[in-house]
Every structure is written in C-alpha cells, then in structure tokens.
Amino acid sequence: MEIAYNLAEVFEEPIQRVDRDMLRKLYTRRFGAVQDAIDKMGALSSREQGLRRILTSYERLLESEEEQLIYIMWKKHPTATNASIVVAMLKVGFKNLYLFDSAMNAFRERVFSVLDFYVYHSLQRQGNGHQLFDFMLQKEGIIPMQCAIDKPSDSLVRFMAKHYGLENPVWQTTNYVVYPDFFADKESITEETARTPRSSRVSEKAHCMSPPIHHRIASRDRGESVGGLLHGTALPPARMVAAPDTPQGLRNSRDFGHQKLW
C-alpha cells in the first residue's frame, strides 16, 4: 500500500516495532500519514476477514487498556522520494484469558496473543508474512505454541500449520485459538483447587453458608418478640386504623374482625 510519506523519517528498521511510547510521539499532525497508514491497513484487514468492525486503528492502539504493539513492515518507494510502501502489519499483546483444552480442563492464563495480522493483497504469497511473524517472535522472545490467536481466518490457521507445524487448533468459546502443546506445562484451575488444603475449603464454605450478622440479629429479635407476646412482656404491634372502604380497612376487618368507626 503506497503512502505519500517517507517512513524513513520515523522508522529505523524495515520492520518497525511500534509500542505505546512511539505511538504517543506520532500523535501530531506532522505524522498524520503514519496514523492514516495504520488505520487503512486495519480497515483492509477487517474487510478481508469479513469482519463488521475494525480491529486495528491508531486510536484503538493508543487507548487500549491492555498495552498492545504493532509491527509494521515497509519499504522505500522505488521511484518517489517522499513516499513509502506499507507491506504488512501485525498487532500483538498480552490478554488475560480463560481457556479450555480438548479435555475441557479450565485454565486461567495471561497469554501473548496475535490480535490482527494482514499482508497487503498485492504483496501476499511472497514470504512477507512469514518474515514479519518470525521477526516478531524473535523480538518478543516467544515461541509459536505459546501464542493465542484472536479469531484467526482459515488462511492464518493454514499459515501456522505450514510454517510452524501447529496442527489441531483448540477453538475457544471466545473465538481465540490455542494449540495442544500450549497446555503442556500449565496447571488447570481444577488442579489448583484440588491442592488447596481441605480445612481452607471447609472454612470458606462455612463462611459462605453462614448468614450475615444482621440476619441473625433480626431472627433473634423476632424470637424475642414472639416470646414476649406469649409471656405478656411485650406489646403487640400497633394496628393501623383506616377507613373501612379502603384496602387497608378491608384487610384490618379480615384480620382483626372489627374496625374502629369514624
């Protein structure tokens, strides 16, 4: 994708790692072309995946609660001095996820996740995606089986199988995908619970089952009131006096058998 801006003015490498600090530096009109390039690549990615909403934009990256990174692969324009070609982009970041393996064991993990991945359509099938993904793995110190992938397309699933030998994706209800080896050194939530001392679990259960103190006090007060009525040490509750043709008057007539006349 051609853009009318020389990315060499802001990017030092042909694959540039752009973190939040760098995004903030680009938050001026001077670098509007870089912001537009991120927005356009994000829109093209969502369109190619058939998604209704755009996953990647400059503003989304900057405002995300969980820090996200974007890798941008680019090259100089072959003829124009003040222009560049954006080849591909890859958005990644850590996510706190509940995951299930194929046996439905539950796991709670903070996972390095692939959030969006797009190679410009005329530059696909030329090794650019593989080069970009490898660069990201090396830079982040991650191996492929440690990654979760958010809503991968069929082509991305094939990409992971072809280049990294990852087969049998385990789809999650959240549409994330992980691979069986991801769980190899992980401990499921069930196993964590099994190792918790029984006394702690009983104590927690007793605490959960014990009624709140104000409920216990209210129950005691009700018991004392009933006892007081039986032994003549407490007065009965005051009865509301109401006109006989009102709902309250009708209830009093029903419950007490008479009603004070007006």
Side-chain angles (χ1 to χ4, degrees), residues 129-142:
H130 189 199
Q131 183 182 351
L132 173 57
F133 206 92
D134 272 353
F135 183 87
M136 179 276 295
L137 292 173
Q138 181 181 0
K139 203 78 171 175
E140 301 301 325
I142 297 290

Side-chain angles (χ1 to χ4, degrees), residues 109-124:
E109 300 287 338
R110 187 169 184 265
V111 189
F112 185 83
S113 302
V114 175
L115 304 173
D116 201 2
F117 186 22
Y118 177 68
V119 179
Y120 191 69
H121 60 83
S122 64
L123 299 170
Q124 294 176 8

